[in-house]
Amino acid sequence: MKVATFMRAALAGACMISASAAFAAATDYAFEAAKTSIANGKGSELAVRLVHKQTGKQVAGAIIFRSRLDMSPDGMGDMTASLQALPSNEAGVYRFKADLTMAGQWALKVMAKVPGEAETVQGFVVFDAKD
């Protein structure tokens, strides 16, 4: 009877550890600006890297399924810009084209699915658009 109780407790503990590891995995990643200063205007190009924090390596193959570009860093979160995904020739770099309507700070907010991770990776990167 003691062995069965021990096995159930061990299994429950393993499940809890597994669940907490899956939950924490999304925080193991960060989006970083490839270049923070961008040109203001139509057709501005933005690029972000998805990095695994523990190794510092760029993560390829993520599927970005939601993105938004707004001026929330300047207190104008309702000011948005159109955003279009572009192909990238560098693994782990995700590129976009945007039509920026004014100079200032723009936040690119991104949600992505990373291969092998159960949780959605979320982040934002601030770009400084200059005339």
Side-chain angles (χ1 to χ4, degrees), residues 11-123:
L11 182 59
C15 289
M16 287 173 41
I17 289 169
S18 175
S20 66
F23 180 74
T27 60
D28 290 341
Y29 300 89
F31 287 98
E32 300 175 349
K35 180 178 154 185
T36 57
S37 183
I38 56 173
N40 179 37
K42 195 171 188 161
S44 296
E45 288 195 20
L46 300 84
V48 295
R49 289 184 289 269
L50 179 58
V51 178
H52 186 255
K53 292 177 185 177
Q54 294 171 340
T55 64
K57 293 183 179 179
Q58 292 179 187
V59 179
I63 298 171
I64 296 179
F65 64 91
R66 184 170 294 156
S67 57
R68 174 185 165 96
L69 186 62
D70 65 39
M71 290 194 77
S72 55
D74 280 347
M76 297 182 282
D78 291 338
M79 174 77 75
T80 62
S82 64
L83 190 63
Q84 175 186 357
L86 296 173
S88 180
N89 57 359
E90 186 180 352
V93 174
Y94 302 87
R95 296 178 51 234
F96 301 89
K97 183 168 104 175
D99 294 333
L100 304 178
T101 54
M102 65 187 300
Q105 292 191 321
W106 291 83
L108 175 61
K109 300 169 183 176
V110 184
M111 295 176 79
K113 287 292 187 182
V114 174
E117 297 298 341
E119 297 294 318
T120 297
V121 174
Q122 300 181 51

